[in-house]
DNA sequence: ACCTGAACACCGTTCAAGT
DNA sequence: ACCTGAACACCGTTCAAGT
């Protein structure tokens, strides 16, 4: 009876044994809902009903955990559509990657921080890059142009927007900020642009700026540029 | 005598009173030499010969410190060259920003993390953006095209390379990485590219890839694309 | 042999005690 | 009134003690 009672009590925390996949899934879920700041070894362990040290049996350290989380989300990107020309194949895959990033807003920051830390790309990321290179090569790009294309695309290959600022809506008004009219007077060009954009599409609430449109605009400008270089060498 | 001895002892730590500028300069210097991970309130205080809490008289918290550091390095970017057409004016300024980023490798990460935190851009950053918008407008860009141009340029306006990976040289060989020949077999397109690049310019040691050239290549492809949109609407 | 609690060396920031 | 040391609530990770 004592054993049964103990098992009933243990049923609150999952009985399925810990695995690397379960640790990574818990970490991704935690980051999805609370952002990357809410991600700590202690908190992942708590979510799994496990003592913090138990995690270190499945991931060597936090960096390996982050790499594993990257692999999980990269795996969500659609495989390359076959039969399409290089331009639409690249385009579709990048847009799929962007949808993944919108589901996992923490991912771009984690990927970037792992790059800055001079970490090696994971095998999953290399697989992704290899397949992207293959699309350019299959489209008839020379090795040199493919090399340049990979640099030109850069993080956009993974759906990064490369914008300076995120959507401005829902930002805390800072106390030391001058009032809007003074801002407008000091930065006339920003004010002019903000006015025009706000007036342009009144339908969209918030930023008054269609992120998806701007992303595709920039992506197409880049792909068109590459196509031109590919066409007349 | 005791007072003199005390002053002589105090001469080891700077006697000039603390100011926001001195705090920021110390923080920038610390980040320049040790990276952003070496940056902590406690360590800045130590470098200034001051108790940690003394910093909070000049910066409200660490976020305000980071914003101040951003302002310091943005201030190092050359002012816009007047008399030049829009394209060379933008080009020169972006290249100046890139030189700044190479001097302060931590800056891009700090700027990005402040963006992700949905912080408002500082007045110094807004001044920079306002002047960049002004260059496009002065070059005859319509409001709409200027708006798109600012999105297309994105973080490249501040000299960001937007590359997926930094220079691969000097990276720790990870233990779980397969041997090079297996990598080459699993990722044939990457291998082909790496071989070609390494063979291409044997003069450059390390990555075998000219970062400055690739940056300008991508920048010019973008500016050419904008010029084309500007020219034939 | 395995698991894990306590401990270590940090961190940003608060707060009360001391001058 | 001002300054600051100790303390708080964290963090990733080590390590020895207990089973």
């Amino acid at each position: 009876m004592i054993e049964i009672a103990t098992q009933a009590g243990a049923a609150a925390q999952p009985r399925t044994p810990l695995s690397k996949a379960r640790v990574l899934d818990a970490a991704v879920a935690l980051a999805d809902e609370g952002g990357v700041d809410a991600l700590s070894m202690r908190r992942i362990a708590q979510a799994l009903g496990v003592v913090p040290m138990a995690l270190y049996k499945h991931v060597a350290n936090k960096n390996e955990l982050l790499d594993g989380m990257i692999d999980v989300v990269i795996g969500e990107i659609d495989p390359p559509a076959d039969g399409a020309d290089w331009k639409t194949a690249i385009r579709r895959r990048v847009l799929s990657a962007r949808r993944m990033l919108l589901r996992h807003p923490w991912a771009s920051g984690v990927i970037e921080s792992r790059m800055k830390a001079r970490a090696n790309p994971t095998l999953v990321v290399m697989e992704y890059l290899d397949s992207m290179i293959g699309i350019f090569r299959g489209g008839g790009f020379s090795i040199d142009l493919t090399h340049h294309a990979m640099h030109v695309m850069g993080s956009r290959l993974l759906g990064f927007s490369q914008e300076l600022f995120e959507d401005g809506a829902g930002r805390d008004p800072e106390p030391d900020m001058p009032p809007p009219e003074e801002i407008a007077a000091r930065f006339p060009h920003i004010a002019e642009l903000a006015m025009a954009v706000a007036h342009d599409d009144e339908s969209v609430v918030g930023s008054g700026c269609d992120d998806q449109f701007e992303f595709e605009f920039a992506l197409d400008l880049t792909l068109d540029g590459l196509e031109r270089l590919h066409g007349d060498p």
Side-chain angles (χ1 to χ4, degrees), chain A:
Chain A
M1 285 296 280
I2 289 178
E3 284 171 29
I4 292 172
T6 310
Q7 284 195 349
Q13 53 231 33
R15 45 180 148 255
T16 44
L18 222 51
S19 67
K20 183 161 183 176
R22 283 195 67 226
V23 171
L24 294 182
D25 287 346
V28 167
L30 214 61
D32 281 348
E33 58 189 59
V36 76
D37 288 338
L39 197 77
S40 77
M41 300 300 274
R42 285 165 151 94
R43 239 184 280 210
I44 297 165
Q46 188 186 339
L48 288 165
V50 145
V51 81
M53 275 308 299
L55 303 179
Y56 286 83
K57 285 277 133 60
H58 301 95
V59 289
N61 48 41
K62 192 170 185 183
N63 283 339
E64 197 178 295
L65 175 95
L66 294 175
D67 281 343
M69 293 171 67
I70 292 172
D71 286 354
V72 168
V73 297
I74 298 280
E76 293 179 8
I77 303 174
D78 292 337
D82 42 26
D85 63 307
W86 70 267
K87 203 175 173 187
T88 56
I90 295 279
R91 196 174 193 281
R92 279 190 203 163
R93 202 119 194 259
V94 169
L95 291 177
S96 171
R98 174 173 152 84
R99 286 193 298 275
M100 175 276 284
L101 287 184
L102 292 176
R103 288 194 300 272
H104 306 291
W106 50 269
S108 63
V110 169
I111 293 171
E112 253 161 4
S113 78
R114 290 295 292 148
M115 301 298 123
K116 295 253 163 69
R118 311 190 66 75
N120 288 303
T122 68
L123 296 178
V124 173
V125 171
M126 289 185 74
E127 168 68 41
Y128 182 83
L129 295 178
D130 190 74
S131 122
M132 293 302 250
I133 297 173
I135 296 175
F136 281 120
R137 292 290 283 146
F141 277 54
S142 72
I143 299 235
D144 267 10
L145 187 52
T146 301
H147 178 219
H148 295 322
M150 291 297 286
H151 280 284
V152 167
M153 293 291 294
S155 60
R156 218 186 308 258
L157 283 170
L158 277 176
F160 286 39
S161 83
Q162 303 181 152
E163 298 274 355
L164 252 183
F165 300 98
E166 312 283 317
D167 184 344
R171 199 161 264 153
D172 321 333
E174 274 177 50
D176 62 332
M177 235 2 168
E181 56 269 20
E182 191 182 325
I183 297 263
R186 276 182 68 171
F187 310 114
H189 296 113
I190 291 178
E192 183 193 37
L193 210 60
M195 288 273 282
V197 172
H199 188 267
D200 201 38
D201 46 357
E202 297 159 356
S203 60
V204 182
V205 265
S207 69
C209 176
D210 186 339
D211 289 339
Q212 181 70 24
F213 177 86
E214 299 298 340
F215 182 86
E216 296 191 24
F217 187 94
L219 174 60
D220 289 335
L221 185 134
T222 305
L223 292 177
D224 287 348
L226 291 175
E227 188 174 40
R228 200 163 287 112
L229 291 176
H230 184 32
D232 38 62

